[in-house]
Amino acid sequence: MSRMRVVVDTDLCEGHALCLNAAPDVFELDEDDRAIVSAVDLTGDVLARVGAAVIRCPVQAISLQST
Ligand code: F3S
């Protein structure tokens, strides 16, 4: 089974913070209001919440990649 990792494109991120609402255990904002990934073990319901964050981000700054 391939593992997934989540990547935030900080050039695209505008700090809308919908990803934090969807998955507060995975995302946080840095001092420039750019999302950073605070957890990397993406399994089960965590992966589902990250999927919701990918969909909700209005500027498509979040992507899921298989490692
Ligand atoms: Fe940035 Fe999108 Fe989250 S703009 S703060 S990655 S919802």
Side-chain angles (χ1 to χ4, degrees):
M1 189 176 109
S2 65
R3 292 174 60 85
M4 304 293 290
R5 69 185 176 116
V6 60
V7 177
V8 174
D9 186 331
T10 52
D11 290 333
L12 291 176
C13 175
E14 296 176 346
H16 294 287
L18 300 182
C19 55
L20 278 73
N21 290 341
D25 48 348
V26 176
F27 299 98
E28 57 186 324
L29 289 184
D30 68 12
E31 61 270 20
D32 297 319
D33 283 346
R34 297 292 184 264
I36 53 176
V37 177
S38 58
V40 291
D41 189 17
L42 298 178
T43 55
D45 62 326
V46 177
L47 186 56
R49 290 200 296 279
V50 170
V54 171
I55 292 168
R56 290 181 195 176
C57 176
V59 293
Q60 286 83 49
I62 309 167
S63 58
L64 273 169
Q65 303 173 356
S66 55
T67 58

